[in-house]
């Protein structure tokens, strides 16, 4: 099936992801401005790539049409991939975010299946593979990321038999009973098996993937090793599956809390909110997986029944705009904003909010100030690959104050056992957890935070990337011959 063979490029490590770490924005005067892209993938990988020499990142620049020329930023080379309006509608908003995203997050909303979307997913994946393959040095490494690009590992293998190929899935991998619903499910599995190493966030994700490969493709699985039969005369290949919980640049985040400007900003935030006794914070992309509705429901009831006095306690809900043209995201925004309006209408004291709602993104420094000001952070995801907000809060509290309420359905719950763990579907349990957190004595907060910090500071994103790349080097056996020229 190998068609094109690409000439090698110059980069030892090539990252391929749907998005570049920066989004291009056209200013009113026609000039281009670059801003940090949203989401956990970029938060994590951006800091990894800054430490790597000769790294490249292949991805979409976030706007439709003509891709900008490759350029250098932060010591890495960026290679933009073109997506037209129709690709955005069918590959990105359609198959990636209205089919795969809800299916992989346990069908919190119903996934939509449209044949035309699959065709665009296939052609867009081909375009990413064709852009990435020629960029890697002979015998180099190509690391493909996330659910938007599951066909890319195999497509790259067809073009570059000399490189090592890794794949990491940032979101959950669903149980085989759910995965089996997906039309073209076997093509997805074969695409992923083009990699030498396939990595997941949680042990349960790895096991779900192995079960799907065994059951749907019938391949032999021995522990975490899959034997993939060769096509035609090609020999049998081995693919490794492994769990690598992703993290953040923990020491960089922690160091920001020493910055006098950020400390002053945290104090100012508290004054701006009218000096409440307690500040509670939720910070998410505006996504139905994050459990924002459940959180607001619990908060509204606590105000209704008088358990929380809005003069003493304020909640800030940051909802970063996301996938705004996808219908379920529009509906979510309407519902959240209706609920916030109702709660404020009924409970806010004159001149200040009960819920301070922010529908925009904040930069890293502003987020650190918010984490420093927050007495309690609520992470109530109904399903989440990892959730880096939980880890960012912990890294922002070297003072050992503050309480993390964490959903057991977020990947972070496997590691952050000292958080107040909740089932966000159980509104009564969630309410009780919020009240317990607000009343938690300082010594108890310190003990929990010390244990959480031990985990987050020791297992940072550099450690994660190192583990993945080391295992990738040890796995598979790329063909010895140099890439054909
Ligand atoms: C999650 C996904 C990423 C995605 C990000 C932002 O973190 O795992 O792949 O980039 O959300 O979503 P967006 O659709 O704006 O890229």
């Amino acid at each position: 099936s190998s068609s094109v063979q690409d000439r090698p490029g110059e980069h030892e490590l090539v990252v391929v992801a749907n998005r570049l770490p920066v989004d291009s924005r056209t200013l009113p005067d026609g000039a281009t401005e670059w801003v940090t892209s949203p989401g956990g993938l970029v938060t994590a990988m951006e800091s990894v790539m800054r430490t790597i020499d000769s790294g490249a990142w292949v991805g979409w620049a976030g706007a439709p049409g003509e891709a900008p020329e490759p350029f250098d930023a932060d010591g890495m080379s960026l290679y933009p991939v073109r997506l037209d309006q129709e690709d955005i509608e069918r590959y990105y908003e359609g198959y990636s975010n209205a089919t795969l995203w809800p299916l992989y997050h346990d069908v919190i909303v119903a996934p939509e299946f449209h044949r035309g979307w699959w065709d665009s997913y296939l052609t867009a994946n081909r375009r990413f593979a064709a852009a990435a393959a020629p960029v890697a040095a002979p015998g180099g490494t190509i690391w493909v990321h996330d659910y938007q690009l599951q066909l890319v590992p195999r497509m790259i293998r067809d073009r570059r038999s000399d490189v090592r190929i890794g794949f990491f899935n940032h979101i959950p991998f669903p149980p085989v009973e759910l995965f089996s619903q997906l039309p073209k499910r076997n093509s997805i599995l074969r695409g992923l098996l083009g990699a030498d190493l396939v990595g997941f966030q949680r042990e349960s994700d790895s096991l779900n993937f192995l079960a799907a490969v065994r059951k749907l493709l019938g391949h032999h699985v021995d522990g975490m090793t899959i034997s993939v039969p060769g096509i035609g005369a090609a020999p049998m290949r081995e693919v490794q599956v492994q769990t690598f919980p992703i993290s953040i640049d923990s020491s960089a985040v922690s160091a920001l809390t020493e910055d006098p400007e950020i400390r002053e900003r945290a104090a100012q935030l508290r004054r701006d909110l009218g000096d409440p006794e307690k500040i509670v914070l939720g910070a998410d992309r505006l996504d139905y997986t994050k459990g924002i509705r459940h959180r607001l429901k619990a908060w509204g009831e606590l105000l209704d029944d008088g358990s929380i006095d809005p003069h003493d306690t304020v909640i800030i809900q940051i909802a970063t705009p996301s996938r705004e043209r996808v219908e379920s995201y529009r509906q979510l925004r309407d519902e959240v904003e209706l609920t916030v309006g109702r709660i404020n209408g009924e409970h806010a004291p004159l001149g200040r909010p009960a819920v301070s709602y922010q529908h925009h993104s904040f930069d890293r420094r502003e987020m650190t100030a918010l984490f420093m000001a927050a007495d309690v952070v609520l992470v109530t995801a109904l399903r989440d690959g990892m959730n880096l907000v939980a880890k960012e809060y912990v890294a922002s509290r070297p003072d050992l104050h503050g309480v993390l309420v964490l959903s057991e359905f977020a990947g972070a719950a496997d590691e952050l056992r000292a958080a107040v763990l909740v089932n966000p579907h159980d509104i009564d349990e969630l309410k009780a957890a919020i009240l317990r957190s607000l009343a938690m004595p300082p010594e108890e907060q310190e003990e929990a935070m010390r244990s959480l910090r031990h985990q987050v500071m020791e297992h940072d994103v550099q450690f994660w990337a190192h583990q993945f790349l080391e295992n990738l080097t040890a796995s598979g056996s790329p063909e010895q011959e140099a890439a054909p020229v």
Side-chain angles (χ1 to χ4, degrees):
S1 68
S2 78
S3 38
V4 209
Q5 285 287 326
D6 292 292
R7 289 164 184 277
E10 52 179 307
H11 298 286
E12 290 302 332
L13 176 63
V14 179
V15 162
V16 195
N18 177 56
R19 273 186 194 278
L20 287 173
V22 285
D23 267 356
S24 75
R25 279 205 199 135
T26 309
L27 297 171
D29 65 357
T32 303
E33 177 194 38
W34 294 92
V35 293
T36 304
S37 303
L41 188 165
V42 165
T43 304
M45 283 308 293
E46 199 198 11
S47 49
V48 169
M49 291 305 277
R50 265 194 259 112
T51 65
I52 281 171
D53 292 332
S54 177
W57 188 315
V58 178
W60 172 47
E66 212 49 66
E69 286 301 308
F71 62 102
D72 287 348
D74 276 337
M76 70 184 136
S77 302
L78 305 187
Y79 290 82
V81 175
R82 176 192 179 115
L83 290 183
D84 293 321
Q85 191 52 42
E86 196 183 81
D87 301 317
I88 293 172
E89 284 164 20
R90 297 181 182 200
Y91 148 73
Y92 170 69
E93 292 164 352
Y95 199 83
S96 295
N97 288 314
T99 304
L100 293 172
W101 181 269
L103 184 70
Y104 281 33
H105 288 88
D106 286 0
V107 301
I108 297 168
V109 313
E112 289 181 50
F113 303 122
H114 298 293
R115 281 165 280 189
W117 289 0
W118 165 258
D119 297 337
S120 295
Y121 186 76
L122 187 66
T123 37
N125 271 247
R126 272 203 198 106
R127 206 172 311 142
F128 281 88
V135 173
T141 296
I142 302 186
W143 189 357
V144 184
H145 291 260
D146 231 358
Y147 61 103
Q148 303 94 338
L149 302 179
Q150 295 173 98
L151 305 177
V152 169
R154 173 151 179 204
M155 290 169 171
I156 290 177
R157 179 167 298 282
D158 285 346
R159 310 177 72 119
R160 287 291 300 272
S161 46
D162 63 305
V163 298
R164 285 182 193 278
I165 305 169
F167 179 90
F168 185 77
N169 202 47
H170 292 253
I171 70 171
F173 195 87
V176 62
E177 291 78 7
L178 288 180
F179 182 72
S180 298
Q181 290 183 13
L182 187 65
K184 308 291 190 291
R185 62 202 187 189
N186 288 6
S187 301
I188 296 275
L189 295 177
R190 286 195 203 95
L192 291 169
L193 290 175
D196 298 297
L197 172 64
V198 183
F200 296 94
Q201 302 276 27
R202 305 179 95 156
E203 200 61 16
S204 54
D205 301 318
S206 297
L207 296 177
N208 286 344
F209 176 68
L210 288 167
V213 166
R214 199 182 315 112
K215 186 164 171 215
L216 300 173
L217 296 183
H219 291 350
H220 179 73
V221 174
D222 181 10
M224 303 297 268
T225 306
I226 303 168
S227 301
V228 180
I231 302 164
M236 177 88 93
R237 289 174 51 240
E238 285 194 343
V239 176
Q240 300 299 325
V241 175
Q242 214 177 310
T243 308
F244 303 93
I246 203 168
S247 190
I248 56 168
D249 193 348
S250 312
S251 52
V253 173
S254 195
L256 277 182
T257 66
E258 307 287 322
D259 186 317
E261 237 179 63
I262 295 179
R263 284 168 170 259
E264 173 47 30
R265 181 70 190 126
Q268 181 66 44
L269 272 166
R270 189 170 280 273
R271 290 195 291 273
D272 289 349
L273 289 165
D275 253 321
E277 266 166 48
K278 298 278 181 183
I279 297 175
V280 177
L281 173 68
D284 317 81
R285 267 187 317 101
L286 187 44
D287 194 298
Y288 50 79
T289 58
K290 305 291 184 183
I292 301 171
R293 281 180 289 215
H294 294 65
R295 194 181 307 164
L296 290 174
K297 173 132 186 101
W299 197 262
E301 287 188 13
L302 288 170
L303 287 167
D304 287 343
D305 61 29
S307 311
I308 286 179
D309 181 344
H311 294 88
D312 303 337
T313 309
V314 174
I315 185 169
I316 303 173
Q317 176 61 54
I318 294 170
T320 309
S322 186
R323 307 173 191 164
E324 292 191 273
R325 289 156 33 88
V326 178
E327 184 52 32
S328 46
Y329 289 76
R330 288 187 191 183
Q331 271 179 28
L332 174 70
R333 181 174 178 192
D334 287 347
E335 281 175 44
V336 165
E337 295 184 354
L338 184 76
T339 307
V340 168
R342 281 206 178 136
I343 294 177
N344 277 329
E346 284 170 23
H347 297 287
L350 254 184
R352 44 184 266 218
V355 180
S356 170
Y357 170 76
Q358 311 287 323
H359 183 247
H360 48 88
S361 57
F362 288 86
D363 65 23
R364 164 97 348 261
R365 297 172 64 82
E366 190 78 356
M367 278 313 304
T368 305
L370 280 156
F371 287 136
M372 291 172 77
D375 300 289
V376 176
V377 166
L378 302 178
V379 175
T380 57
L382 307 176
R383 180 51 89 194
D384 210 333
M386 174 54 62
N387 196 290
L388 295 182
V389 167
K391 292 189 174 180
E392 284 170 344
Y393 181 47
V394 170
S396 305
R397 299 315 302 239
D399 62 352
L400 304 181
H401 288 302
V403 183
L404 173 65
V405 175
L406 178 60
S407 164
E408 61 194 53
F409 298 105
D414 281 359
E415 297 169 275
L416 303 184
R417 306 304 300 168
V420 176
L421 295 172
V422 290
N423 168 10
H425 295 280
D426 187 338
I427 301 294
D428 288 333
E429 188 191 320
L430 184 52
K431 287 165 70 179
I434 292 171
L435 291 179
R436 182 157 97 70
S437 303
L438 284 169
M440 193 182 282
E443 317 78 62
E444 206 183 316
Q445 294 184 28
E446 279 181 26
E447 194 187 321
M449 194 56 89
R450 188 170 289 118
S451 149
L452 293 171
R453 280 184 69 79
H454 182 74
Q455 176 66 31
V456 172
M457 301 311 288
E458 296 292 307
H459 300 88
D460 63 6
V461 73
Q462 284 79 15
F463 172 81
W464 168 84
H466 184 79
Q467 295 283 96
F468 186 94
L469 292 171
E470 201 175 71
N471 279 277
L472 178 55
T473 307
S475 69
S477 47
E479 289 166 29
Q480 286 311 298
E481 54 188 293
V485 284

